[in-house]
Amino acid sequence: MMNSVPGKRNNHYSPKPIVPEPAHPAPEPPGRVVELIIPDHCAGLRLDQALAQLLAEWSRSRLQSWILEKRVSVDGACSLPRQKVWGGEKIVLSPARDPAETAHEPEAIALDIVHEDHAIIIIDKPAGLVVHPGSGNWQGTLLNALLHHSPQLSGIPRSGIVHRLDKETSGLLVVAKTLEAQTSLVRQLQKRTVKREYLALVWGSVSSHGRVDAPVGRHPVQRTRMAVVASGKEARTRYEVLEQFTDCTLLRCGLETGRTHQIRVHMQSLGHPLVGDPLYGGKAKKGSSATMQLAAFPRQALHAHKLELTHPQNGQRMGWEAPLPEDMSNLLLMLQKARDKESHAIPAMIK
């Protein structure tokens, strides 16, 4: 059994520390202003009702929100959605930009770059950083950071991103800087020649190495979750025991396929969900202080530790390692100390 976790980075220079910039929203650039006069046939309607009739390109709910945000003035004064209009009022509307319109704008977000050349970028992604913009996360993503770091990525589909990590999963991720590199990486992923290894801390005692071969697909009822389902796509995960603790086990997991939430779902299917997993994690029973600290861990304890691929241009096989981030490293140190303390206490009790 190992007493420490492999994690020495093999790149040629020390990465820059990840220091997120203060979350001050950028001022919204001036957009178009809509001016109109309420016609007589709208007399007696609520303001939001009248605007919904006159400005069909926007939904009534969106217009209501803009009225409440004071983006709509009636004869120079702010109003409420329920205020009635009688015809002849001058309306000035300053529409807010659709968040999706700003999804691909560069943002000065610091990146931990492990390796970069003319074809690829290898990034050690911190937990909490969303990879690609989507509902609820239109800004502040890895994609926005990449566009600031390498503006030429705007000409590459998905800004060169060929695979993802969950928001709260940390670790290594490759980005293509050219169309040729992207094509090569996508093909390698399809052929499963890209090797990805993760370090995962799971609940319970896992006694031996193993392999999960179970299809993963959308949960039939809870659509925000994935599950092992017969109709899912083939999914295979190898796992190896690295260290055992009182209430949990540290595993090395290797992906043979790359399905959404694959490791999280497969470990849950074995009865060993990831520590800290808000979707698939089990609830800890009352126990030692170490158990309580495990239960309080704020994210899934999953880190993309190793990445190996064939360089898209020179054909050379390359690999990188990313050490555990501070939160997981501190958690393991706490568990090791608790285990050592417990092992010393048992002989004393026997005497």
Side-chain angles (χ1 to χ4, degrees), residues 80-116:
L80 292 175
R82 66 174 179 270
Q83 174 183 326
K84 290 190 175 182
V85 293
W86 302 102
E89 295 92 340
K90 181 181 179 180
I91 305 296
V92 178
L93 166 64
S94 301
R97 294 179 66 183
D98 188 329
E101 294 177 5
T102 62
H104 288 71
E105 291 188 352
E107 293 183 48
I109 301 170
L111 292 172
D112 186 348
I113 297 175
V114 176
H115 169 87
E116 181 174 11

Short mmCIF file of all heavy atoms in Angstrom, two decimals, residues 80-116:
data_model
loop_
_atom_site.label_atom_id
_atom_site.label_comp_id
_atom_site.label_asym_id
_atom_site.label_seq_id
_atom_site.Cartn_x
_atom_site.Cartn_y
_atom_site.Cartn_z
N LEU A 80 -43.64 50.44 -13.00
CA LEU A 80 -43.80 49.04 -12.61
C LEU A 80 -44.56 48.31 -13.71
O LEU A 80 -45.33 48.92 -14.47
CB LEU A 80 -44.55 48.93 -11.28
CG LEU A 80 -43.82 49.45 -10.04
CD1 LEU A 80 -44.74 49.39 -8.83
CD2 LEU A 80 -42.55 48.65 -9.77
N PRO A 81 -44.40 47.01 -13.81
CA PRO A 81 -45.09 46.26 -14.87
C PRO A 81 -46.60 46.43 -14.86
O PRO A 81 -47.25 46.44 -15.91
CB PRO A 81 -44.70 44.80 -14.59
CG PRO A 81 -43.40 44.89 -13.86
CD PRO A 81 -43.50 46.13 -13.03
N ARG A 82 -47.17 46.59 -13.65
CA ARG A 82 -48.64 46.66 -13.55
C ARG A 82 -49.23 48.03 -13.86
O ARG A 82 -50.45 48.19 -13.96
CB ARG A 82 -49.08 46.23 -12.15
CG ARG A 82 -48.64 47.16 -11.05
CD ARG A 82 -49.24 46.75 -9.70
NE ARG A 82 -48.82 47.61 -8.62
CZ ARG A 82 -47.74 47.41 -7.87
NH1 ARG A 82 -46.96 46.37 -8.12
NH2 ARG A 82 -47.42 48.25 -6.90
N GLN A 83 -48.38 49.05 -14.02
CA GLN A 83 -48.89 50.39 -14.33
C GLN A 83 -49.64 50.37 -15.66
O GLN A 83 -49.19 49.77 -16.63
CB GLN A 83 -47.74 51.39 -14.42
CG GLN A 83 -48.18 52.79 -14.88
CD GLN A 83 -47.02 53.74 -15.02
OE1 GLN A 83 -46.05 53.66 -14.26
NE2 GLN A 83 -47.08 54.63 -16.01
N LYS A 84 -50.77 51.00 -15.70
CA LYS A 84 -51.55 51.02 -16.93
C LYS A 84 -51.14 52.18 -17.83
O LYS A 84 -50.67 53.22 -17.36
CB LYS A 84 -53.04 51.10 -16.62
CG LYS A 84 -53.58 49.82 -15.99
CD LYS A 84 -55.09 49.82 -15.90
CE LYS A 84 -55.61 48.49 -15.39
NZ LYS A 84 -57.09 48.44 -15.33
N VAL A 85 -51.28 51.95 -19.12
CA VAL A 85 -51.00 52.99 -20.11
C VAL A 85 -52.30 53.34 -20.83
O VAL A 85 -53.22 52.52 -20.93
CB VAL A 85 -49.93 52.52 -21.11
CG1 VAL A 85 -48.58 52.36 -20.42
CG2 VAL A 85 -50.32 51.21 -21.79
N TRP A 86 -52.37 54.57 -21.36
CA TRP A 86 -53.64 55.04 -21.95
C TRP A 86 -53.47 55.55 -23.37
O TRP A 86 -54.43 56.04 -23.98
CB TRP A 86 -54.22 56.14 -21.05
CG TRP A 86 -54.45 55.64 -19.65
CD1 TRP A 86 -53.68 55.87 -18.57
CD2 TRP A 86 -55.49 54.76 -19.24
NE1 TRP A 86 -54.17 55.21 -17.47
CE2 TRP A 86 -55.30 54.52 -17.85
CE3 TRP A 86 -56.57 54.15 -19.87
CZ2 TRP A 86 -56.12 53.70 -17.10
CZ3 TRP A 86 -57.42 53.34 -19.13
CH2 TRP A 86 -57.19 53.11 -17.76
N GLY A 87 -52.26 55.42 -23.89
CA GLY A 87 -52.01 55.89 -25.25
C GLY A 87 -51.30 57.23 -25.25
O GLY A 87 -51.66 58.12 -24.48
N GLY A 88 -50.28 57.36 -26.09
CA GLY A 88 -49.55 58.62 -26.22
C GLY A 88 -48.30 58.70 -25.37
O GLY A 88 -47.50 59.63 -25.53
N GLU A 89 -48.11 57.74 -24.42
CA GLU A 89 -46.92 57.78 -23.57
C GLU A 89 -45.66 57.44 -24.40
O GLU A 89 -45.69 56.59 -25.29
CB GLU A 89 -47.01 56.78 -22.41
CG GLU A 89 -48.12 57.08 -21.41
CD GLU A 89 -49.42 56.37 -21.74
OE1 GLU A 89 -49.59 55.95 -22.93
OE2 GLU A 89 -50.25 56.22 -20.84
N LYS A 90 -44.57 58.12 -24.09
CA LYS A 90 -43.30 57.83 -24.75
C LYS A 90 -42.54 56.79 -23.93
O LYS A 90 -42.28 56.99 -22.74
CB LYS A 90 -42.46 59.10 -24.91
CG LYS A 90 -41.13 58.83 -25.62
CD LYS A 90 -40.28 60.09 -25.74
CE LYS A 90 -38.95 59.79 -26.45
NZ LYS A 90 -38.10 60.99 -26.58
N ILE A 91 -42.18 55.70 -24.59
CA ILE A 91 -41.46 54.60 -23.94
C ILE A 91 -40.02 54.59 -24.45
O ILE A 91 -39.77 54.68 -25.65
CB ILE A 91 -42.11 53.24 -24.25
CG1 ILE A 91 -43.59 53.25 -23.85
CG2 ILE A 91 -41.35 52.10 -23.56
CD1 ILE A 91 -43.84 53.43 -22.38
N VAL A 92 -39.07 54.51 -23.53
CA VAL A 92 -37.66 54.33 -23.87
C VAL A 92 -37.20 53.05 -23.20
O VAL A 92 -37.26 52.92 -21.97
CB VAL A 92 -36.79 55.52 -23.43
CG1 VAL A 92 -35.33 55.24 -23.76
CG2 VAL A 92 -37.27 56.80 -24.10
N LEU A 93 -36.74 52.08 -24.01
CA LEU A 93 -36.31 50.77 -23.51
C LEU A 93 -34.83 50.55 -23.86
O LEU A 93 -34.42 50.74 -25.01
CB LEU A 93 -37.15 49.66 -24.13
CG LEU A 93 -36.65 48.22 -23.99
CD1 LEU A 93 -36.63 47.79 -22.54
CD2 LEU A 93 -37.51 47.27 -24.82
N SER A 94 -34.05 50.18 -22.85
CA SER A 94 -32.64 49.82 -23.06
C SER A 94 -32.49 48.33 -22.79
O SER A 94 -32.30 47.92 -21.63
CB SER A 94 -31.73 50.62 -22.12
OG SER A 94 -31.89 52.01 -22.34
N PRO A 95 -32.60 47.48 -23.81
CA PRO A 95 -32.56 46.04 -23.60
C PRO A 95 -31.21 45.58 -23.06
O PRO A 95 -30.16 46.10 -23.45
CB PRO A 95 -32.80 45.46 -25.01
CG PRO A 95 -33.34 46.58 -25.82
CD PRO A 95 -32.75 47.82 -25.23
N ALA A 96 -31.25 44.63 -22.13
CA ALA A 96 -30.01 44.00 -21.66
C ALA A 96 -29.55 43.02 -22.71
O ALA A 96 -30.35 42.41 -23.42
CB ALA A 96 -30.27 43.29 -20.33
N ARG A 97 -28.26 42.86 -22.81
CA ARG A 97 -27.71 41.92 -23.78
C ARG A 97 -28.01 40.49 -23.33
O ARG A 97 -27.96 40.17 -22.14
CB ARG A 97 -26.20 42.11 -23.92
CG ARG A 97 -25.80 43.44 -24.52
CD ARG A 97 -24.30 43.57 -24.59
NE ARG A 97 -23.70 42.62 -25.53
CZ ARG A 97 -22.39 42.51 -25.71
NH1 ARG A 97 -21.55 43.27 -25.01
NH2 ARG A 97 -21.91 41.64 -26.58
N ASP A 98 -28.30 39.64 -24.29
CA ASP A 98 -28.49 38.23 -24.00
C ASP A 98 -27.15 37.67 -23.53
O ASP A 98 -26.13 37.85 -24.20
CB ASP A 98 -28.94 37.50 -25.27
CG ASP A 98 -29.32 36.06 -25.01
OD1 ASP A 98 -28.75 35.45 -24.09
OD2 ASP A 98 -30.19 35.54 -25.73
N PRO A 99 -27.12 36.99 -22.36
CA PRO A 99 -25.84 36.46 -21.86
C PRO A 99 -25.12 35.60 -22.88
O PRO A 99 -23.89 35.57 -22.93
CB PRO A 99 -26.26 35.63 -20.64
CG PRO A 99 -27.54 36.23 -20.20
CD PRO A 99 -28.22 36.69 -21.45
N ALA A 100 -25.87 34.88 -23.70
CA ALA A 100 -25.23 34.01 -24.70
C ALA A 100 -24.42 34.80 -25.72
O ALA A 100 -23.48 34.28 -26.32
CB ALA A 100 -26.30 33.18 -25.41
N GLU A 101 -24.78 36.09 -25.90
CA GLU A 101 -24.06 36.91 -26.86
C GLU A 101 -22.63 37.22 -26.41
O GLU A 101 -21.76 37.51 -27.22
CB GLU A 101 -24.82 38.23 -27.08
CG GLU A 101 -26.18 38.07 -27.74
CD GLU A 101 -26.91 39.39 -27.85
OE1 GLU A 101 -26.30 40.42 -27.50
OE2 GLU A 101 -28.07 39.40 -28.28
N THR A 102 -22.40 37.15 -25.09
CA THR A 102 -21.07 37.47 -24.57
C THR A 102 -20.30 36.21 -24.17
O THR A 102 -19.24 36.29 -23.56
CB THR A 102 -21.20 38.38 -23.33
OG1 THR A 102 -21.92 37.69 -22.29
CG2 THR A 102 -21.95 39.66 -23.68
N ALA A 103 -20.85 35.03 -24.51
CA ALA A 103 -20.25 33.78 -24.06
C ALA A 103 -18.86 33.55 -24.61
O ALA A 103 -18.05 32.86 -23.99
CB ALA A 103 -21.17 32.61 -24.43
N HIS A 104 -18.55 34.12 -25.77
CA HIS A 104 -17.26 33.87 -26.40
C HIS A 104 -16.38 35.12 -26.39
O HIS A 104 -15.59 35.35 -27.31
CB HIS A 104 -17.45 33.34 -27.82
CG HIS A 104 -17.97 31.94 -27.88
ND1 HIS A 104 -19.25 31.61 -27.53
CD2 HIS A 104 -17.35 30.77 -28.21
CE1 HIS A 104 -19.42 30.30 -27.66
NE2 HIS A 104 -18.29 29.77 -28.07
N GLU A 105 -16.50 35.90 -25.34
CA GLU A 105 -15.65 37.08 -25.22
C GLU A 105 -14.43 36.76 -24.35
O GLU A 105 -14.53 36.03 -23.37
CB GLU A 105 -16.43 38.25 -24.61
CG GLU A 105 -17.51 38.80 -25.55
CD GLU A 105 -18.15 40.06 -25.02
OE1 GLU A 105 -17.86 40.42 -23.86
OE2 GLU A 105 -18.93 40.67 -25.76
N PRO A 106 -13.25 37.29 -24.70
CA PRO A 106 -12.05 37.03 -23.89
C PRO A 106 -12.19 37.63 -22.50
O PRO A 106 -12.77 38.70 -22.32
CB PRO A 106 -10.95 37.75 -24.69
CG PRO A 106 -11.51 37.95 -26.06
CD PRO A 106 -12.98 38.10 -25.89
N GLU A 107 -11.66 36.92 -21.51
CA GLU A 107 -11.63 37.41 -20.14
C GLU A 107 -10.26 37.12 -19.54
O GLU A 107 -9.70 36.04 -19.73
CB GLU A 107 -12.73 36.75 -19.30
CG GLU A 107 -14.14 37.12 -19.72
CD GLU A 107 -15.18 36.49 -18.80
OE1 GLU A 107 -15.03 36.60 -17.56
OE2 GLU A 107 -16.13 35.87 -19.33
N ALA A 108 -9.75 38.07 -18.78
CA ALA A 108 -8.41 37.94 -18.19
C ALA A 108 -8.48 37.07 -16.94
O ALA A 108 -8.43 37.56 -15.81
CB ALA A 108 -7.84 39.31 -17.87
N ILE A 109 -8.59 35.77 -17.15
CA ILE A 109 -8.61 34.79 -16.06
C ILE A 109 -7.30 34.03 -16.10
O ILE A 109 -6.91 33.50 -17.15
CB ILE A 109 -9.80 33.82 -16.23
CG1 ILE A 109 -11.12 34.60 -16.24
CG2 ILE A 109 -9.80 32.77 -15.13
CD1 ILE A 109 -12.32 33.77 -16.63
N ALA A 110 -6.60 33.97 -14.98
CA ALA A 110 -5.29 33.32 -14.93
C ALA A 110 -5.42 31.83 -15.21
O ALA A 110 -6.38 31.17 -14.77
CB ALA A 110 -4.64 33.54 -13.57
N LEU A 111 -4.48 31.28 -15.97
CA LEU A 111 -4.46 29.86 -16.30
C LEU A 111 -3.17 29.23 -15.76
O LEU A 111 -2.11 29.84 -15.83
CB LEU A 111 -4.52 29.66 -17.81
CG LEU A 111 -5.82 30.04 -18.52
CD1 LEU A 111 -5.64 29.96 -20.03
CD2 LEU A 111 -6.96 29.15 -18.06
N ASP A 112 -3.29 28.00 -15.27
CA ASP A 112 -2.12 27.23 -14.85
C ASP A 112 -1.70 26.38 -16.04
O ASP A 112 -2.24 25.29 -16.28
CB ASP A 112 -2.49 26.36 -13.65
CG ASP A 112 -1.28 25.64 -13.06
OD1 ASP A 112 -0.22 25.63 -13.71
OD2 ASP A 112 -1.41 25.08 -11.96
N ILE A 113 -0.76 26.88 -16.83
CA ILE A 113 -0.34 26.22 -18.06
C ILE A 113 0.85 25.31 -17.76
O ILE A 113 1.92 25.76 -17.35
CB ILE A 113 0.01 27.25 -19.15
CG1 ILE A 113 -1.24 28.06 -19.50
CG2 ILE A 113 0.57 26.55 -20.38
CD1 ILE A 113 -1.00 29.19 -20.48
N VAL A 114 0.65 24.02 -17.97
CA VAL A 114 1.68 23.02 -17.72
C VAL A 114 2.62 22.91 -18.92
O VAL A 114 3.83 22.73 -18.77
CB VAL A 114 1.02 21.66 -17.43
CG1 VAL A 114 2.05 20.55 -17.27
CG2 VAL A 114 0.15 21.75 -16.17
N HIS A 115 2.07 23.04 -20.13
CA HIS A 115 2.86 22.93 -21.36
C HIS A 115 2.13 23.69 -22.46
O HIS A 115 0.91 23.67 -22.53
CB HIS A 115 3.02 21.46 -21.77
CG HIS A 115 3.60 21.28 -23.15
ND1 HIS A 115 4.96 21.25 -23.38
CD2 HIS A 115 3.01 21.14 -24.37
CE1 HIS A 115 5.18 21.10 -24.67
NE2 HIS A 115 4.02 21.02 -25.30
N GLU A 116 2.91 24.35 -23.31
CA GLU A 116 2.33 25.02 -24.46
C GLU A 116 3.34 25.05 -25.59
O GLU A 116 4.53 25.30 -25.38
CB GLU A 116 1.89 26.45 -24.12
CG GLU A 116 1.25 27.17 -25.31
CD GLU A 116 0.67 28.52 -24.97
OE1 GLU A 116 0.94 29.02 -23.85
OE2 GLU A 116 -0.07 29.08 -25.81
#
